[in-house]
Amino acid sequence: MSRAISRVLAVAWIGLMASAALGRADTLKIAYVDPLSGGGASVGQVGLEHFQYIADQVNAKGGVLGMKVEILGYDDKTNPQEALVQVQKAIDAGARIIAQGNGSSVGAAIEDFVAKYDDRNPGKEVVYINYAAVDPSLTNAKCSYWHFRWDANSDIKMEALTSYMKTRPAIKKVYLINQDYSFGQSVRTEARKMLAQKRPDIQIVGDELHPLLKITDFSPYIAKIKASGADSVITGNWGQDIALLLKAAADAGLQADWYTYYAGGAGGPTAIRQANLADRVFAMVEGFPNLDYAPAREAEKEFRAKLNGQSLWYPRVFNMMSMVFRAIEEAKSPDPVKFAPKLEGMKITTFDGGEGFMRAADHQFFQDMFVVTFGPLGANQPFDEEHTGWGTKLAGKVPADQTVLPTTCKMQRPS
Amino acid sequence: MLELIIVSTLNGVLYGMLLFLMASGLTLIFSMMGVLNFAHASFYMLGAFFGYQLSRVLGFWPALLIAPVLVGALGALVERYGLRTVHRHGHVAELLFTFGLAFVVEEVVQMLWGRLPVDYRVPPSLDFTAFTIFSTNYPAYKLFELLTAIAIFAVLLLVLTRTRAGLIIQAALTHPDMVAMLGHNVPRVFMLAFGVGTGLAAVAGVIAGPALVTQSNMAGLLGPILFVVVVVGGLGSLAGAFAASLLIGLVQTFAVAMNVSIGDLLAVFGAHLAPDAFFAEITQVTVAQIAPIVPYLLLVLILIFRPRGLFGTRET
């Protein structure tokens, strides 16, 4: 009797496994590995919402090659070791596309892990698609065939930012404050180098590195910036590090211009409004809500309507996903070995209307970059940020071809 | 320079006071139980989240009163039904109990409020600039934090040294058996002290929540530094906790303000290193960069040279 039952169970089990295996073939699993807790969570969580939004859109239109797109979220706590555990979990769950963005330290670990994994597991290759880790080394000294980056790397952003600063003669004294890890260090060295070339008259009155995502009160740093007499601050801070930095500046009433990479992230606009720094905080983006391009505005409106007013932060995630899906469709296969070559050199019209291309030599995507400021909404500025009544405004545009910097990458292609 | 010193002093004192609010309860519990309460910072976090939740319904001021009472009651329950049972199995079991509790609290907070920071704001009645010093604004809310901490210190000191209840607690710390012989209910004294201690941590949470960030990792960010305060200040010494909190607050703030590097210090003694010399990278690290570890360095030094702490009366 019991044997009969166990036999029935065994058959049922095999049936279940078979249907699970079938189910796997019908879905395209994309693992999202990013901070979903801790100091990076405020941006990591919103990133996940972007991916899920895009997946829902694509699935509503029948998916990719008939496969349903499924986003699996993994919390890496902005910690490289934790991230590798999560990537392994994602691979075990059947994902062959790993998306990550927040934290170049994490990005470098994943890039290295994926390259080794692919070497050791032929036939099971995975690909790492990077939407925000901007340490230049990921597409230079450490470049890998299995890594593609859609955000402009830090050098490109600094090039654009300093080109803009060149047009602002009022800047005399600059203070640098950055996170103490690979990315923050590259921001400070590039800022020094490029300012020395473009504006040798600018004096650098401070150069600070602080622990990554650990500071909850930046008042001591603001006191120091104030004492230095700086009229402008350059920072690559992201996540809570930019929001709290701006908040402390607002509390202390520091009046300085801010040249940032990520002032638009969670909490940033609120602090800018509180400090009353109208048009004095600049950020580097590849697109922004008030850009005068109808399709992007339409998408922004839909996105906000669906996600409770959350603004669309990452046009690059839309660029990335549409290119990956196109590559899969062109290759007629979700196998990274087959679709990765299609990504190399691919040209698209970006989310914000410009021309963009994926350079084959280092797998870096190039696109138009914009310098934006935050201030009271004027005519033809329909969108505000974080219900402050203030929104983004175009301050300067750098066309894609002017952002193309040389690479030192010596790409090892699989034979 | 004077500006930086004055502003840094204000910031340092403020941070120190926040530390003291938590350390005062922890140091009492530490000396009673003989073990560190790893979950102490979790009660601070609970205070912040309770404060946030209550202030949305009742406003900030009622929340400031009710949240600590709730958390204190929770703390008393944990002592009565958790720690007291575990106590029989010795210190290690107690230590592990509080260690586990910290994780449980963090998970529960994540389940209830999520992993993202909650929108806990400074109440409008305190959202203005109290005074301006060297063109730096000092928010009224920070002044309020400072005054609350000082008031609590004064009240605690009075209660512990001038009232009957305080005398019994002090006696129970050093001679629990004797106090029990004299007819006092020592376990209840411990339970009340635990409740008050966790309640104080909750006060710190309600107040610090809007100023810092109210999120599920806030206990982890502040927890370790509390142990430094307790050890540096000395076991069970309120004055010690007060002095150590101030010391660490000031040390950490001033360390941030300093741009001196090891290389600069060597240069004072006439040793100059070429920038490409071996170890040159290390000598360029400034004090500001290592500011976050300075308190832990202090902890190590204190344990080596004065194990009983600054104001402690017995060995740790």
Side-chain angles (χ1 to χ4, degrees), chain A residues 36-39 41-42 45 75 180 208-209 211 216-217 219-221 223-224 226 240 244 247 251-253, chain B residues 3-4 7 11 115-116 135-137 139 142 210-213 215 217 221 253 256-259 288-289 292:
Chain A
L36 300 176
S37 67
S42 55
Q45 191 71 43
D75 180 14
D180 197 357
E208 197 79 56
L209 289 174
T216 44
D217 184 4
S219 312
Y221 294 95
K224 213 171 157 185
K226 196 144 202 173
Q240 75 173 29
L244 297 180
K247 186 177 167 195
D251 283 345
Chain B
E3 174 185 353
L4 187 60
V7 175
N11 283 328
R115 293 156 182 271
L116 293 183
S135 79
T136 293
N137 298 339
K142 287 195 169 179
L212 305 176
V213 189
Q215 61 183 2
N217 70 341
L221 286 177
T253 315
V256 165
M258 278 199 277
N259 267 335
Q289 258 172 285

Side-chain angles (χ1 to χ4, degrees), chain A residues 47-71:
Chain A
L48 180 58
E49 285 169 7
H50 281 68
F51 279 80
Q52 246 139 18
Y53 178 83
I54 294 169
D56 289 347
Q57 260 187 345
V58 170
N59 289 338
K61 287 177 192 154
V64 180
L65 291 181
M67 293 177 291
K68 200 171 141 282
V69 178
E70 189 186 348
I71 308 294

Side-chain angles (χ1 to χ4, degrees), chain A residues 49-304:
Chain A
E49 285 169 7
H50 281 68
F51 279 80
Q52 246 139 18
Y53 178 83
I54 294 169
D56 289 347
Q57 260 187 345
V58 170
N59 289 338
K61 287 177 192 154
V64 180
L65 291 181
M67 293 177 291
K68 200 171 141 282
V69 178
E70 189 186 348
I71 308 294
L72 310 169
Y74 294 91
D75 180 14
D76 69 15
K77 302 176 181 151
T78 334
N79 176 329
Q81 281 93 35
E82 183 67 29
L84 298 189
V85 174
Q86 300 302 327
V87 169
Q88 186 61 56
K89 265 165 83 177
I91 293 174
D92 292 344
R96 295 185 69 183
I97 301 175
I98 312 287
Q100 183 270 349
N102 291 298
S104 289
S105 48
V106 175
I110 295 181
E111 184 176 18
D112 182 54
F113 177 88
V114 165
K116 285 180 182 151
Y117 180 89
D118 290 354
D119 263 357
R120 292 167 191 160
N121 298 279
K124 291 181 186 165
E125 286 85 349
V126 297
V127 63
Y128 163 33
I129 53 175
N130 169 1
Y131 75 95
V134 296
D135 180 351
S137 72
L138 302 189
T139 48
N140 284 289
K142 294 179 188 155
C143 74
S144 152
Y145 176 79
W146 300 108
H147 163 253
F148 292 86
R149 166 155 64 194
W150 272 268
D151 197 3
N153 76 39
S154 171
D155 289 357
I156 298 171
K157 289 188 182 189
M158 188 51 79
E159 176 80 39
L161 201 60
T162 47
S163 294
Y164 181 69
M165 292 175 80
K166 202 175 160 185
T167 66
R168 313 245 315 167
I171 305 172
K172 299 269 183 268
K173 292 179 171 178
V174 167
Y175 200 100
L176 310 175
I177 178 163
N178 288 293
Q179 296 153 321
D180 197 357
Y181 78 118
S182 55
F183 160 67
Q185 282 156 6
S186 91
V187 171
R188 90 197 275 217
T189 37
E190 281 307 308
R192 276 177 172 280
K193 203 173 89 189
M194 291 179 180
L195 281 179
Q197 281 166 5
K198 293 175 188 168
R199 282 289 302 275
D201 59 310
I202 286 182
Q203 194 190 343
I204 292 182
V205 291
D207 187 352
E208 197 79 56
L209 289 174
H210 65 78
L212 172 65
L213 299 175
K214 289 224 159 53
I215 311 266
T216 44
D217 184 4
F218 276 95
S219 312
Y221 294 95
I222 295 296
K224 213 171 157 185
I225 294 176
K226 196 144 202 173
S228 75
D231 54 48
S232 306
V233 183
I234 295 181
T235 178
N237 280 16
W238 55 271
Q240 75 173 29
D241 281 344
I242 183 71
L244 297 180
L245 182 65
L246 287 170
K247 186 177 167 195
D251 283 345
L254 174 69
Q255 292 291 320
D257 289 347
W258 291 81
Y259 294 90
T260 77
Y261 282 15
Y262 304 114
T270 305
I272 296 167
R273 177 71 189 85
Q274 193 198 339
N276 214 12
L277 291 170
D279 296 322
R280 298 190 65 180
V281 181
F282 301 89
M284 285 302 310
V285 290
E286 74 282 7
F288 58 99
N290 290 326
L291 178 68
D292 199 3
Y293 177 62
R297 282 195 176 183
E298 204 50 49
E300 178 83 32
K301 214 158 112 191
E302 267 175 48
F303 190 84
R304 288 187 181 212

